Amino acid sequence: MAAVQRLLRAAASSSSSGAAAATGTRRMTGFAGAESRGRRPAQDRNVQWVFLGCPGVGKGTYASRLSRLLAVPHIATGDLVRDELASTGPLAAQLKEIVNQGKLVSDEIIISLLSKRLKKGEEKGESGFILDGFPRTVNQAEILDGVTDIDMVVNLKLREDIIVQKCLGRRICGQCGKNFNLACIDVKAENGLPPIYMSPLLPPKNCMSKLKTRDDDTDEVVRNRLRIYNEMSQPVEDFYQKQGKVLEFDLPGGIPESWPKLLQVLNLEDQEELKLATA
Ligand code: AMP
């Protein structure tokens, strides 16, 4: 993937020392440019999609389902950051402070983590991607635009009060790493808004005693992350709106209601049936 090389070059040329770069979101200039050489037309390659939406809206759930269906990697920059946090690498301590306050990691660090992930994938023969959690700033979106083409941007939407409840109910099994949700969302219709029901996603018995809450899923940090999303990432939605690439998707409920509807609007129902028939 020529784009990986360009992203790697961009990351290398833009990042100063990792320590200095860990805070703030300094604009990167002279970065990759609008190079179009090496870009493959969409019909000759796998999909290159971006998932947008507030933290906790369900990007990971739907992006990972689609990635399995379309056989492309689901790349969540939040996971890359958490892997780095769990390591003994030099960035771990400073990233912890930033992430636990719900703030954004610098563009330099996130681009560098993403480039490394794409390079690893490229070595394994991966192509295409569904990005989740990236881009989160207009600067990141411009950088991505400078290195490769994004075919479509799926913008997941859900009421903010429900998002807070979902984030507070989120749990991860410390052993198998699977995600669950203990929250039972049952919001009645009001002020012209439809009712929403989302059943909890409960863990099997053997995961129950190993459940952990993410450090950034506390009430205070979740609200801070939502505030930062509205400030920094809402403009990313506008960026892609101007390019006519955004598919807005209001989640009608939990997975049983939302997944078939999402497949329908993406015109992927046949693909799902084919996969089930050949499974
Ligand atoms: P997430 O799991 O997507 O909510 O990401 C967890 C945390 O990782 C965020 O709160 C940020 O601190 C950091 N992070 C993930 N993706 C990005 C990004 N694209 N830009 C900056 N920080 C990010």
Side-chain angles (χ1 to χ4, degrees):
M1 207 193 290
V4 174
Q5 301 304 336
R6 290 198 292 273
L7 203 55
L8 272 171
R9 248 186 289 135
S13 68
S14 74
S15 58
S16 44
S17 84
T23 51
T25 51
R26 167 169 76 77
R27 267 188 98 70
M28 290 183 270
T29 51
F31 204 150
E35 218 178 321
S36 61
R37 192 163 35 88
R39 290 181 189 222
R40 289 170 64 190
Q43 66 272 18
D44 295 345
R45 55 162 172 76
N46 283 336
V47 301
Q48 300 192 160
W49 290 356
V50 161
F51 261 66
L52 293 182
C54 290
V57 71
K59 297 186 295 293
T61 303
Y62 296 102
S64 68
R65 282 178 163 239
L66 284 171
S67 87
R68 286 196 295 277
L69 189 65
L70 300 171
V72 292
H74 162 218
I75 302 178
T77 44
D79 288 344
L80 303 181
V81 169
R82 281 182 287 279
D83 287 348
E84 193 64 33
L85 278 176
S87 75
T88 49
L91 288 178
Q94 53 186 306
L95 284 183
K96 190 170 181 196
E97 203 177 315
I98 295 168
V99 175
N100 286 354
Q101 290 175 32
K103 293 182 183 163
L104 292 186
V105 169
S106 74
D107 290 343
E108 288 90 340
I109 290 179
I110 216 77
I111 300 270
S112 160
L113 293 176
L114 179 60
S115 309
K116 280 185 207 152
R117 168 64 187 81
L118 286 170
K119 184 153 194 297
K120 247 193 227 166
E122 184 191 34
E123 284 160 8
K124 285 193 294 182
E126 280 179 0
S127 81
F129 51 72
I130 299 182
L131 291 179
D132 154 8
F134 185 96
R136 244 171 160 115
T137 63
V138 171
N139 192 36
Q140 291 177 11
E142 285 170 350
I143 290 161
L144 190 60
D145 241 26
V147 295
T148 196
D149 294 319
I150 296 303
D151 311 320
M152 183 170 52
V153 175
V154 180
N155 189 22
L156 295 185
K157 294 193 149 172
L158 191 59
R159 287 166 49 174
E160 206 165 294
D161 53 334
I162 298 181
I163 287 182
V164 173
Q165 286 186 55
K166 278 188 72 205
C167 284
L168 297 182
R170 208 148 56 166
R171 299 289 183 277
I172 301 174
C173 173
Q175 192 169 349
C176 71
K178 284 201 179 127
N179 291 293
F180 304 100
N181 206 307
L182 307 183
C184 179
I185 313 285
D186 191 3
V187 180
K188 306 276 171 281
E190 56 179 2
N191 304 330
L193 296 170
I196 291 207
Y197 179 78
M198 293 177 162
S199 55
L201 185 58
L202 297 174
K205 254 194 194 148
N206 51 334
C207 294
M208 197 57 115
S209 60
K210 296 154 199 137
L211 293 187
K212 292 192 304 190
T213 306
R214 275 169 53 168
D215 288 341
D216 57 350
D217 272 344
T218 63
D219 191 80
E220 189 192 345
V221 178
V222 167
R223 287 179 198 281
N224 198 31
R225 286 162 63 204
L226 288 172
R227 191 186 53 73
I228 290 174
Y229 183 86
N230 290 332
E231 191 183 310
M232 307 291 289
S233 307
Q234 197 81 46
V236 178
E237 295 180 16
D238 303 338
F239 176 90
Y240 286 120
Q241 284 285 7
K242 283 188 197 129
Q243 299 185 354
K245 291 185 175 166
V246 180
L247 174 90
E248 302 279 3
F249 187 75
D250 282 293
L251 289 157
I255 296 170
E257 298 81 26
S258 302
W259 176 238
K261 205 161 170 214
L262 182 61
L263 289 177
Q264 194 187 352
V265 296
L266 290 171
N267 260 325
L268 287 173
E269 289 155 302
D270 292 352
Q271 198 112 354
E272 166 94 332
E273 276 165 27
L274 192 69
K275 198 177 172 208
L276 288 174
T278 53

